[in-house]
Amino acid sequence: MPTFLGLHAQPSRPLQVMLALLPFIALVCVYLGVSEMRYRNNPADKVVPTLGKMAEGVNQVAFTEDKRTGKVLLWDDTLSSLKRLGTGIGCAAVLALLAGLNMGLFPGVRNLSLAFITFVSIIPPLAILPILFIVFGVEETAKVVLIFIGTFPMITRGVYLAARKIPTEQIFKALTLGASQFAVAYRIVLPQIMPCLIDSTRLSLGAAWLFLIASEAIASTDGLGYRIYLVRRYLAMDIIIPYVLWITLLGFLFDRLLQAWISKRYSWYLVTKE
């Protein structure tokens, strides 16, 4: 029996790394094989570009100024998309913290808000995108609001569940010792649910990217999603694939940064999760 199979397998660290890399290596090998085969049959094929073609595409968008705008497209698109993403999910995280915390602690706020938040969380955000464009126009506001609406209920419910798990004995003890309700909420409970807020925000990033790309694809003049949908008219897979890989890399880096933040600042949270 190989050492990585079985219920009680304990693969060594090098073997863990090798197993983690294996699917990526297999995917790259399959792509290179298919690309080479299609290139031999048709050197002008655009559907599965070779690595050389993609390198030319990357050089064109990441290291060469655009003749029309004078900007380097990849970095300009990245900056525009990150502004929208950061504004939308940042506002969602701040308001979700306040809403989830108060819903978890105060029955009145819970009765007032929980059913509404649950209802909003069921609405498919992309279905209301045309409404947002009509109400807010096709500029930045509608894109940011879409990201906000798509992530706010999810983060709020995560914070709310974390606040509900705070032992009531801890709250009663603080009140008995003279703490006000405000102090209990924002000086005792809030620090304990901060890692949950970061964790919920981290898990919402995938949805936030989806809403960002969708909104940019429909109405925008810059951004990563806009560029992908613009060049698809020309079957420019040598640009689309690097853009998709770049978006994936950005998402991965944000995820790792938030995990590192939790690990460094709130190591006790990881212990309780185990």
Side-chain angles (χ1 to χ4, degrees):
M1 177 73 71
T3 55
F4 62 90
L5 292 178
L7 292 174
H8 304 291
Q10 293 182 336
S12 61
R13 183 61 184 166
L15 183 57
Q16 291 179 27
V17 174
M18 190 183 75
L19 291 174
L21 292 177
L22 200 56
F24 297 97
I25 295 172
L27 180 63
V28 171
C29 290
V30 169
Y31 180 88
L32 293 177
V34 173
S35 174
E36 181 63 24
M37 183 176 64
R38 293 181 67 98
Y39 181 76
R40 286 181 183 175
N41 294 332
N42 178 17
D45 179 67
K46 289 186 173 182
V47 178
V48 189
T50 62
L51 290 182
K53 292 288 184 184
M54 281 200 286
E56 292 176 7
V58 170
N59 181 58
Q60 177 187 343
V61 296
F63 303 106
T64 306
E65 288 186 354
D66 183 62
K67 293 180 181 176
R68 186 173 62 84
T69 62
K71 298 177 180 177
V72 181
L73 294 179
L74 179 64
W75 309 123
D76 189 57
D77 290 334
T78 301
L79 184 61
S80 299
S81 292
L82 290 184
K83 282 181 182 176
R84 294 165 187 145
L85 186 76
T87 305
I89 203 164
C91 292
V94 171
L95 293 180
L97 174 63
L98 297 175
L101 171 64
N102 289 288
M103 284 165 54
L105 291 181
F106 301 106
V109 179
R110 181 162 60 248
N111 294 332
L112 180 67
S113 311
L114 183 58
F116 180 73
I117 295 292
T118 304
F119 174 77
V120 171
S121 70
I122 299 173
I123 300 174
L126 291 180
I128 62 171
L129 183 55
I131 300 175
L132 297 180
F133 280 141
I134 293 172
V135 175
F136 297 105
V138 295
E139 302 300 332
E140 300 298 299
T141 306
K143 303 177 184 66
V144 171
V145 171
L146 177 66
I147 296 171
F148 176 84
I149 292 177
T151 55
F152 171 73
M154 192 186 307
I155 302 174
T156 300
R157 296 173 82 177
V159 174
Y160 161 71
L161 292 175
R164 292 285 288 170
K165 288 181 181 177
I166 299 295
T168 53
E169 294 83 358
Q170 189 180 115
I171 296 173
F172 289 146
K173 188 177 292 183
L175 293 172
T176 303
L177 293 174
S180 65
Q181 294 189 26
F182 183 85
V184 169
Y186 293 96
R187 297 189 62 183
I188 296 176
V189 176
L190 189 144
Q192 298 183 59
I193 61 174
M194 278 301 293
C196 181
L197 169 70
I198 300 170
D199 216 12
S200 298
T201 305
R202 181 177 68 85
L203 296 175
S204 302
L205 276 175
W209 277 107
L210 170 66
F211 303 136
L212 172 71
I213 299 299
S215 60
E216 288 181 341
I218 294 175
S220 186
T221 56
D222 56 11
L224 297 168
Y226 161 76
R227 194 67 55 192
I228 289 175
Y229 276 78
L230 177 68
V231 300
R232 76 180 172 84
R233 303 172 185 170
Y234 315 107
L235 292 178
M237 294 292 282
D238 55 333
I239 294 178
I240 292 175
I241 293 176
Y243 260 69
V244 172
L245 293 176
W246 176 239
I247 292 172
T248 306
L249 177 62
L250 288 175
F252 177 77
L253 290 177
F254 290 149
D255 185 88
R256 297 298 297 179
L257 282 174
L258 291 177
Q259 282 192 43
W261 185 10
I262 294 175
S263 178
K264 183 177 181 180
R265 185 71 176 79
Y266 306 101
S267 56
W268 53 267
Y269 174 71
L270 301 178
V271 175
T272 57
K273 283 182 71 175
E274 294 175 355

